[in-house]
Amino acid sequence: MNIELSRNVVNNFTKLIEMLETIFDETQNMDEYYEKLLELAIKTIPEADYGSLIMIIPEKNSWIWLATVGHNKNLLCNMTFYINRKNLKEGLIFVDGNILEKTKENMSEYSYRIIKKASTPIKQTIAYHLKITEKIWMGFALDIDANSNKTFSEDSINILKLFGNLAKIFLKNKIEKDKINELNKELKFKNYEYQKLNEEMHNKYKIFIDSIHQLSQLLISSDDEKYLIKESLRICAKIIPFFEKAIFAKRMDNKIIIKDSIGYENLMVEKLKIKREFKEKNMNIITFSEIEGDFYQIKVVSSYYIFIKLNEKNREYLVDKYDLSSKYENILYSLIELKDRLNKEKLFSKNLIKAFINLFDKNTAYKLNHSEKTAYYATLIGKEMGFDEKQLEKLYWAAILHDIGKIGIPQNILVKSSALTLEEYENIKKHTLLGYNIILKYLGDKELAKIVKYHHERCDGKGYPEGLKCKEIPLESKIIAVADAYAEMITKKAYRTTLLKKEAIKRIKENSGTQFDPMIVDIFINYLESKK
């Protein structure tokens, strides 16, 4: 190795190490890296005056200058030149004389003129061609000025290989990183799509679960078959695609009497006249004089029908994919059958619990059936307050079951004639929560359980189990609180005599606004006093 080259290598060794250290740096700008690498190569190789780093895409005859020193950077690095060099070979090329003139025949006249304008006259060139991928090559070229008397030595040519390989590693790494980045972007997009799909599936699952819950609540709460049909239609509409408009109605010959509708909130008519009936595939289609469009007719029970408005989206979908008619009939039949069984089971459960409570009352110090008495007075108050039959039934059963939790309280505490200790009183207070859990487990009626749970709450917030204020306590619980207290006071106990009606009324009044709801007290007392 000649002395000057050796000195240059030593002097630039630190910078060469820096270039090696940053070769895998993702934040490193490619243009800046190549410009520094080219400048370092020219400083290290003493014969070199100018140089270029070129990316070559042989398939498209494209030559793209990535960096250049000594030539016109603005012209060369901002354009793509078309040069026909498809038979590229890896390795060194040594060109004595002006390389542009010697390769002129491989490029267009336009490319030649631009490169000539941008290039400084050259005496000699060494170029190192490297294959990066199947489609991408690189050329690392160093030039000697036309007026120089120097020529490239063998050692300088070998040093060029070092710089060429650094350029290759950097570009190859950059391409791989770009591929990984693209793959990451694609994965992020796929992940986003998956999340959207997952969210959509979660929403559909939630709608489905909500619908099942609503159907189960419908079975528990409704005794009206027509209401059951109507509401089940609304629930099914949420989980059936393209179910937008429907009418639930009674059919009498050619007249349709509307009972309810979905999607026709502003419908002004109560009756529809049949215009036309026809078959399409397996569908019974009907049209009306008052409403535009075709309707899919489904008979649900007796003379009651559902008419689903057809459109382009749902016409084929509802029948071919869903066979909605038979499926809805199956759902409805199952619901009505379940409802019938559930009513029988609920009646049996309630009668069984009622008998159990009567037995419980007889085994305690009560001379008369306390639960029945409480239920009697509670329903009297409910009637005075305008409760309907359904509300009265709920109130009656809540009153019957209000002390069911005392089954879990030790008998010696329940029949104790002397004052309760603090510990015994705390034990007694547990019966409201015990009752709540029993009703939930065996009757599955959350509303009923809630009424029982809060029947010992007070309007002043000093009750139990949660210390609720008057407005927070369920109305039925407040009614039972009054009825329970009155029934208790007029019932003879082992530890005290029965209070007269007048004295019981006085005590109820005294606790109005603190223990009891004043409105309920007034209604109850007015009723009792009117029956003198």
mmCIF file of all heavy atoms in Angstrom, residues 186-187 346-348 398 479 497:
data_model
loop_
_atom_site.group_PDB
_atom_site.id
_atom_site.type_symbol
_atom_site.label_atom_id
_atom_site.label_comp_id
_atom_site.label_asym_id
_atom_site.label_seq_id
_atom_site.Cartn_x
_atom_site.Cartn_y
_atom_site.Cartn_z
ATOM 1 N N GLU A 186 -48.896 -3.285 7.524
ATOM 2 C CA GLU A 186 -49.932 -4.228 7.095
ATOM 3 C C GLU A 186 -50.511 -4.967 8.297
ATOM 4 O O GLU A 186 -51.720 -5.163 8.399
ATOM 5 C CB GLU A 186 -49.321 -5.230 6.105
ATOM 6 C CG GLU A 186 -50.360 -6.078 5.403
ATOM 7 C CD GLU A 186 -49.758 -7.017 4.364
ATOM 8 O OE1 GLU A 186 -48.656 -6.727 3.849
ATOM 9 O OE2 GLU A 186 -50.400 -8.031 4.089
ATOM 10 N N LEU A 187 -49.598 -5.360 9.216
ATOM 11 C CA LEU A 187 -50.053 -6.057 10.425
ATOM 12 C C LEU A 187 -50.923 -5.153 11.297
ATOM 13 O O LEU A 187 -51.917 -5.599 11.873
ATOM 14 C CB LEU A 187 -48.854 -6.549 11.233
ATOM 15 C CG LEU A 187 -48.122 -7.774 10.681
ATOM 16 C CD1 LEU A 187 -46.847 -8.028 11.455
ATOM 17 C CD2 LEU A 187 -49.015 -9.009 10.717
ATOM 18 N N LYS A 346 -94.215 -21.050 38.783
ATOM 19 C CA LYS A 346 -94.248 -19.912 39.709
ATOM 20 C C LYS A 346 -95.390 -20.066 40.711
ATOM 21 O O LYS A 346 -95.239 -19.805 41.905
ATOM 22 C CB LYS A 346 -94.405 -18.591 38.932
ATOM 23 C CG LYS A 346 -93.107 -18.072 38.363
ATOM 24 C CD LYS A 346 -93.325 -16.893 37.448
ATOM 25 C CE LYS A 346 -93.696 -15.652 38.177
ATOM 26 N NZ LYS A 346 -93.847 -14.494 37.290
ATOM 27 N N LEU A 347 -96.565 -20.515 40.216
ATOM 28 C CA LEU A 347 -97.721 -20.701 41.089
ATOM 29 C C LEU A 347 -97.428 -21.781 42.131
ATOM 30 O O LEU A 347 -97.718 -21.621 43.312
ATOM 31 C CB LEU A 347 -98.951 -21.076 40.253
ATOM 32 C CG LEU A 347 -100.270 -21.224 41.019
ATOM 33 C CD1 LEU A 347 -100.667 -19.897 41.664
ATOM 34 C CD2 LEU A 347 -101.373 -21.711 40.086
ATOM 35 N N PHE A 348 -96.812 -22.871 41.644
ATOM 36 C CA PHE A 348 -96.459 -23.969 42.558
ATOM 37 C C PHE A 348 -95.446 -23.475 43.606
ATOM 38 O O PHE A 348 -95.586 -23.743 44.802
ATOM 39 C CB PHE A 348 -95.873 -25.134 41.759
ATOM 40 C CG PHE A 348 -95.381 -26.261 42.624
ATOM 41 C CD1 PHE A 348 -96.275 -27.147 43.218
ATOM 42 C CD2 PHE A 348 -94.023 -26.439 42.853
ATOM 43 C CE1 PHE A 348 -95.823 -28.181 44.030
ATOM 44 C CE2 PHE A 348 -93.567 -27.463 43.654
ATOM 45 C CZ PHE A 348 -94.463 -28.346 44.241
ATOM 46 N N ALA A 398 -94.953 -9.689 47.833
ATOM 47 C CA ALA A 398 -93.836 -9.087 48.578
ATOM 48 C C ALA A 398 -94.164 -9.053 50.069
ATOM 49 O O ALA A 398 -93.295 -9.322 50.910
ATOM 50 C CB ALA A 398 -93.550 -7.678 48.051
ATOM 51 N N ILE A 479 -94.887 0.835 51.754
ATOM 52 C CA ILE A 479 -96.260 0.390 52.078
ATOM 53 C C ILE A 479 -96.193 -0.789 53.046
ATOM 54 O O ILE A 479 -96.910 -0.825 54.056
ATOM 55 C CB ILE A 479 -97.020 -0.008 50.789
ATOM 56 C CG1 ILE A 479 -97.305 1.241 49.936
ATOM 57 C CG2 ILE A 479 -98.323 -0.736 51.129
ATOM 58 C CD1 ILE A 479 -97.859 0.938 48.551
ATOM 59 N N THR A 497 -99.482 -7.244 75.592
ATOM 60 C CA THR A 497 -100.866 -7.429 75.151
ATOM 61 C C THR A 497 -101.071 -6.725 73.815
ATOM 62 O O THR A 497 -100.282 -5.867 73.411
ATOM 63 C CB THR A 497 -101.848 -6.827 76.175
ATOM 64 O OG1 THR A 497 -101.506 -5.451 76.370
ATOM 65 C CG2 THR A 497 -101.765 -7.577 77.491
#
